[in-house]
Amino acid sequence: GMLSSIGSGYLDDNAGKLSSVLQYANILGILCTISILYLISKLFDKNGNKTKKIIIATLIQFFTIIMFLTQSKMVMLLTIISTIILCLKSKNKKEIIYNFVNIFLAFIASVLCAKLNIILVVTTSLVVFTVYNLLRNRVEIEKKKIIIDVVVLSIVLIFSIVNFSLVINSPMFNRIVDYFNNFDSTDLRLTYYIDALKIVTKSIPNFIFGIGGNGFRTAYETVQSTEYISLEVHSFFIQVLVESGVLGLVSIIAVIAYILKKSENNIYKLMLITLLIFSAFDVFLTYTFMLFVLAILFST
């Protein structure tokens, strides 16, 4: 569907782990999320010039649309929570309403992608958003900017009400509704975790040292309680526990805790925490590109 239109979806057995990062929906989504957070922090920077801020805002719009198109419930939730935290911590409170107008517009654009040509919708939305920003940045008085934001938000809300059936039947809403009506995905992940722990507790050496690289994919069939095929535990920390034992897990957690304690309370710390929360419930460090991202955030 829409994911194939943006070169994303789920990996097949022949896909390379490095070259196919963007083909895995959740990984593409979380990359968009950390990009959005970084750009929002730059948008809140009072020292930036108007042209630069318009470009940054348009990029936020683009990444947010793609994030919604991945239809990852976890990524959407992390994006919303992280954005709220970033807005609350920002000293530039006047931009908070504007930022959420940006996200709302991106959501509507992603909804329209389900019915119309995705390239046309994304291009049109970016043009409209750029014009909106140009108009907004011509105004010097902050109260007038807020009025413009409220007017745009009202137009979007009216559009959503008039086209309520289109919004409520969008793929994103359907996935959220399906999630609460059908917990198969969550149940399956819990099965992965339980079977992984069975491998770990099979012997003392397994518990202390683990069973080596790619351990889960080679051993899960010996302990699985139900039929499934999975190459990953879908949890970075449990994956480390299976492959490297409690020694490996404690070492990783110690490094992460040290870095978080020593790092400043800045955007990079928020991006790192968001990435680590995501990795606790999904495939992560098996992708070499994501190791690069993690290394960059560790170093900052």
Side-chain angles (χ1 to χ4, degrees):
M2 291 190 297
L3 287 176
S4 62
S5 300
I6 58 175
S8 181
Y10 289 93
L11 293 172
D12 57 41
D13 292 336
N14 296 320
K17 286 288 187 177
L18 176 60
S19 62
S20 301
V21 165
L22 298 184
Q23 291 180 22
Y24 187 69
N26 288 359
I27 298 295
L28 174 58
I30 198 63
L31 285 172
C32 287
T33 295
I34 62 175
S35 299
I36 290 165
L37 294 176
Y38 177 76
L39 290 169
I40 289 175
S41 71
K42 293 300 179 184
L43 195 64
F44 285 159
D45 186 0
K46 293 182 179 180
N47 298 322
N49 61 60
K50 292 182 179 180
T51 302
K52 182 179 178 180
K53 286 194 172 185
I54 291 173
I55 295 172
I56 290 173
T58 305
L59 285 173
I60 293 173
Q61 179 77 354
F62 174 75
F63 283 123
T64 307
I65 293 172
I66 300 301
M67 183 273 297
F68 279 126
L69 288 179
T70 64
Q71 300 174 33
S72 170
K73 300 179 290 293
M74 185 192 308
V75 169
M76 284 189 279
L77 181 62
L78 283 172
T79 303
I80 293 170
I81 293 174
S82 300
T83 300
I84 291 173
I85 292 172
L86 185 58
C87 289
L88 291 176
K89 289 173 67 66
S90 171
K91 295 179 181 179
N92 194 355
K93 303 294 184 185
K94 296 174 183 177
E95 295 294 327
I96 292 176
I97 297 175
Y98 163 70
N99 186 61
F100 280 97
V101 171
N102 189 346
I103 291 177
F104 209 114
L105 287 171
F107 171 74
I108 295 301
S110 61
V111 167
L112 292 174
C113 287
K115 293 293 182 181
L116 304 173
N117 180 276
I118 186 171
I119 297 176
L120 177 64
V121 171
V122 173
T123 303
T124 303
S125 66
L126 293 179
V127 171
V128 170
F129 191 75
T130 302
V131 172
Y132 158 56
N133 273 278
L134 286 169
L135 175 64
R136 189 177 183 275
N137 279 279
R138 285 175 64 89
V139 177
E140 298 294 337
I141 302 173
E142 290 296 335
K143 287 185 178 179
K144 289 187 177 181
K145 288 185 178 183
I146 294 175
I147 291 172
I148 293 173
D149 292 339
V150 171
V151 170
V152 172
L153 186 59
S154 300
I155 293 172
V156 174
L157 289 174
I158 292 170
F159 173 86
S160 301
I161 293 170
V162 173
N163 297 277
F164 183 73
S165 60
L166 176 64
V167 175
I168 205 69
N169 290 316
S170 66
M172 281 164 292
F173 265 103
N174 287 333
R175 279 183 62 81
I176 293 171
V177 171
D178 287 344
Y179 177 75
F180 287 105
N181 291 334
N182 185 348
F183 288 93
D184 285 351
S185 176
T186 302
D187 290 341
L188 192 56
R189 284 174 189 264
L190 287 174
T191 301
Y192 298 157
Y193 302 160
I194 292 170
D195 288 351
L197 293 176
K198 287 179 183 177
I199 296 171
V200 172
T201 56
K202 230 177 181 183
S203 69
I204 293 178
N206 283 12
F207 179 77
I208 297 176
F209 304 108
I211 61 174
N214 288 329
F216 181 76
R217 72 171 64 186
T218 58
Y220 77 88
E221 290 181 323
T222 64
V223 297
Q224 65 182 165
S225 52
T226 185
E227 284 293 324
Y228 64 82
I229 298 175
S230 179
L231 302 181
E232 314 283 351
V233 182
H234 285 73
S235 169
F236 160 54
F237 296 104
I238 299 178
Q239 185 97 20
V240 170
L241 182 61
V242 172
E243 297 181 353
S244 302
V246 70
L247 288 178
L249 182 60
V250 169
S251 299
I252 290 291
I253 292 176
V255 170
I256 291 173
Y258 176 80
I259 290 173
L260 289 176
K261 184 178 180 180
K262 292 295 183 181
S263 61
E264 299 178 3
N265 289 320
N266 55 23
I267 182 59
Y268 299 105
K269 187 172 184 177
L270 179 60
M271 290 162 63
L272 176 58
I273 291 172
T274 302
L275 207 56
L276 290 171
I277 292 173
F278 170 80
S279 70
F281 302 100
D282 212 321
V283 179
F284 179 42
L285 292 183
T286 48
Y287 292 84
T288 309
F289 183 76
M290 297 305 292
L291 279 171
F292 296 156
V293 175
L294 185 68
I296 292 171
L297 293 179
F298 270 173
S299 67
T300 51

